[in-house]
Amino acid sequence: MFEILKKEKLAENIYSFQFKAPDIAKKARAGHFIMLRIKENGERIPLTIAEYDNNTITIVVQVVGKTTQELSELKKGDKIEDLVGPLGNPSEIDKVETVCLIAGGCGCAEVYPIAKEFKKNNSKVIVIFGARSKNLLFLEKEFKNISDEYIVCTNDGSKGIKGFVTDALREIMKKEKIDLVIAVGPIPMMKAISEMTKNHIKTRVSLNSIMVDGIGMCGSCRVTVNNKIKFVCVDGPEFNAHEVDFDELSKRNSLYKDEEQHICKLSQTIK
Amino acid sequence: MIKQDPKIRTSNFNEVNLGYSKEEAIKEASRCLQCKVPKCIEGCPVNINIPSFISFIKNDKPEKAIEEIKKANNLPGICGRVCPQEEQCEAKCILKQKAIKIGYLERYAADNETQQKIPKIKESKHRVAVIGSGPSSLTCAADLALKGYNVTIFEALHKTGGVLRYGIPEFRLPKKIVDNEIEYIKKLGVTIKKDFVIGKTLSLEDLKKDFDAIFIGVGAGLPNFMNIPGENLPGVYSANEFLTRINLMKAFDFPNNETPIKKSETTVVIGGGNVAIDSARCAKRLGSHVFLVYRRGLEEMPARQEEIQNAKEEGIEFLFLTNPTKIIGIDKVEGIECVQMMLGEEGLDGRKTPVPIENSEFVIECNQVVIAIGQGPNPLLVKQTNLNKDIKGYLYVNEKNQTSDAIIFAGGDIIKGEATVIKAMADGKKAAAAIDELLKNK
């Protein structure tokens, strides 16, 4: 059983949870994720490690379905059944002069630890954070602290540039030489960034796929990268953006939409 | 052996074989000739004293029978159900076609154990780490614990048992039986740590600091795919994913269990081993009409005859000498194109090579495809070590199950590819004996 040491509401439907997990914490690095299970009949879901120290790890959760909804209702002191990690491969922190990290929505929870590492490694760090609206922004103070340039965009213009992260990147590309782009967010966003940088900037994306075990056993997280089958859980989660078949991943991710709606409806009825 | 009626059992996941009654067990045990030179023992990978335990059953002493079995086999309730006895002990029985049903008797003894007897154990100071909690690891751990070693099992998943839990369905191996057997192993003093991925949460080097020897039993859990077009369409599962959702996560009881599995009208399973048959029978129980497509013929099928027969009774349609060429669909699976095969020359493995017959393609309309064409060695741990391995990633071991590192041993599917529960157990026993030899005088 794993105890929640701290819970914070970061934005609309977005929460952070700090867990006591010394074994995972000691091995955690930027880019790693965990799998958790709230209760005995619960499903296993993957979530990025947003922060870690010697004894604890912090994950950020956006409510998108049954399990994340249930998680969002837990409080400090509550315990969950299972927490396992750190899984996946840690982010490669290349020695580059300028890196541009692009976070879409909840993807910023993953971008934050990676940006920190690039800063420690003396790269110039530019962060672009995009969300639909300002009430979905979070970790802003933290990003401002560790980046050389921090740009916010909102689709509705409620804060920062009105537009998409692609608009912000286009502007940056006009005035800076960027050696590496790292993008984490919804699949259409990562695909759009990848198309923009194709043939001129090395770009990596961190993929989110359906997972069951998270340790390479089942293939449910499989994605086509450069015409080969790769497993997000053991070969990723980061891949060369220009080689990823985003359309296929998008299709595979919508496989259980009906079941998700059904089970959410059921629990609302019970409430 | 009485079985659930096929028409009824395809709508539940309850155990199909219902076990012997006392009268049936005594009657069967009485047929055993108690040979002076028992051939059956030779056929058993762990050398259970078969005539001896059968004799106890004949005399209505099942608790003595189980004691006898446990001298050699720590998981009798499991082996009695899943061992291919017809290829092992029963194949050697001198009664030939009327061979004694040794497997059913072993199961009877295990199911009638009233109390798990724990022998007195003299403690040793040495510590052994066992990686994985499948049959090979459980056996190694139990044998070492019986010799007094301080054993800790590290399991990556949130439940123990390995394939016993996630691979073999409830209707062949009830998880309650797996829990019981593992309870016995815990009573022997073995510590089990779940949610612990060796290679991620801790490395082998970390383990070497705290343990005097290590056993690697991580299995062959890497699913093979066919690399045919359409294989990544929503609705195509590896057998591992299909079975893990159903067996480990109990998706057959969604939404009471929150992991989903797609229910489909028609499922096509590809493969000919026990995993393919298990997948087909699970799909049937989820309400599908099921086709099993296999590129060779019935005689060449590696699955257990008994389970093939069960599958036929349950209405699964077998399409032999058939191989898929591509999976069809735009946003999800809509069909699978297959080609007819014929058996050609013998290949290097001694089996006749299937060869496609030109222009014999046809399409099966379906909504779900399960690919059960085998698994490879789990790379997660092995990739990170310098242990000698072959090109596929299987660990090399010597005749004592010792790897290229003197204090690291291995057994089960990680050394030889998918085999059986009992063969994995035999490896576990050999490794335990070798570890004991290594540590007892240190």
Side-chain angles (χ1 to χ4, degrees), chain A residues 32-44:
Chain A
H32 273 146
F33 66 94
I34 51 94
M35 295 287 286
L36 66 73
R37 199 175 68 124
I38 299 176
K39 55 189 201 262
E40 177 56 38
N41 62 331
E43 54 168 349
R44 291 167 63 99

Side-chain angles (χ1 to χ4, degrees), chain B residues 251-318:
Chain B
F252 65 86
D253 191 18
F254 177 85
N256 289 325
N257 286 291
E258 296 175 358
T259 303
I261 183 100
K262 288 311 265 192
K263 301 222 168 155
S264 94
E265 233 177 81
T266 309
T267 300
V268 172
V269 176
I270 303 161
N274 288 317
V275 174
I277 302 281
D278 282 343
S279 302
R281 295 172 72 195
C282 281
K284 185 76 190 172
R285 282 157 173 77
L286 291 177
S288 279
H289 182 76
V290 184
F291 291 98
L292 187 137
V293 160
Y294 180 52
R295 59 189 182 148
R296 292 186 171 91
L298 175 60
E299 293 74 43
E300 289 82 29
M301 253 193 150
R304 281 191 80 186
Q305 284 306 311
E306 181 174 335
E307 305 303 346
I308 297 173
Q309 184 55 33
N310 281 335
K312 281 192 183 149
E313 285 170 14
E314 288 165 13
I316 284 143
E317 275 194 61
F318 286 73

Side-chain angles (χ1 to χ4, degrees), chain A residues 27 41 82 217-218 251 256, chain B residues 195 206 237-238 240 256 330:
Chain A
K27 297 281 186 182
N41 62 331
D82 298 287
M217 265 179 52
C218 76
K251 269 190 216 170
Y256 297 104
Chain B
D195 291 337
D206 290 328
Y237 288 93
S238 70
N240 256 12
N256 289 325
I330 301 175

Side-chain angles (χ1 to χ4, degrees), chain A residues 2 23-24 27 32 37 39-44 66-67 70 81-90 210-220 222-224 229 231 234-235 248 251-252 255-260 262-263 266, chain B residues 155-159 166 194-197 200-203 206 221-223 225 227 231-238 240-242 244-245 248-250 254-263 329-332 371 378-380 383:
Chain A
F2 295 82
D23 294 311
I24 303 175
K27 297 281 186 182
H32 273 146
R37 199 175 68 124
K39 55 189 201 262
E40 177 56 38
N41 62 331
E43 54 168 349
R44 291 167 63 99
K66 176 76 167 60
T67 304
E70 211 171 308
E81 197 71 38
D82 298 287
L83 187 63
V84 60
L87 302 177
N89 295 302
I210 294 179
M211 287 186 190
V212 184
D213 56 287
I215 52 176
M217 265 179 52
C218 76
S220 93
R222 65 189 184 277
V223 61
T224 302
I229 295 183
F231 290 3
V234 291
D235 299 313
E248 180 191 80
K251 269 190 216 170
R252 289 184 57 75
L255 181 60
Y256 297 104
K257 256 208 301 239
D258 293 339
E259 284 79 5
E260 190 72 66
H262 171 72
I263 202 174
L266 271 185
Chain B
E155 168 54 53
L157 292 172
H158 59 275
K159 284 207 189 280
Y166 73 76
K194 297 182 279 189
D195 291 337
F196 240 99
V197 184
K200 293 283 184 195
T201 322
L202 278 180
S203 65
D206 290 328
L222 181 72
F225 285 97
N227 292 313
E231 212 168 18
N232 289 345
L233 277 170
V236 182
Y237 288 93
S238 70
N240 256 12
E241 182 187 352
F242 196 67
T244 297
R245 282 180 183 270
L248 174 67
M249 308 306 294
K250 303 207 178 31
F254 177 85
N256 289 325
N257 286 291
E258 296 175 358
T259 303
I261 183 100
K262 288 311 265 192
K263 301 222 168 155
I330 301 175
D331 292 328
K332 53 188 175 157
I371 300 183
N378 195 315
L380 195 143
K383 203 168 59 170

Side-chain angles (χ1 to χ4, degrees), chain B residues 390-402:
Chain B
D390 72 9
I391 197 164
K392 287 190 177 157
Y394 292 113
L395 283 176
Y396 278 130
V397 293
N398 60 19
E399 70 289 348
K400 292 185 185 171
N401 283 76
Q402 190 181 35

Side-chain angles (χ1 to χ4, degrees), chain B residues 407-441:
Chain B
I407 66 158
I408 302 181
F409 295 75
D413 289 356
I414 194 65
I415 66 170
K416 52 163 67 88
E418 311 148 81
T420 55
V421 164
I422 191 75
K423 287 191 182 141
M425 288 174 62
D427 284 341
K429 292 191 94 59
K430 268 206 318 209
I435 292 173
D436 180 40
E437 202 189 308
L438 178 75
L439 295 180
K440 68 183 178 201
N441 295 318

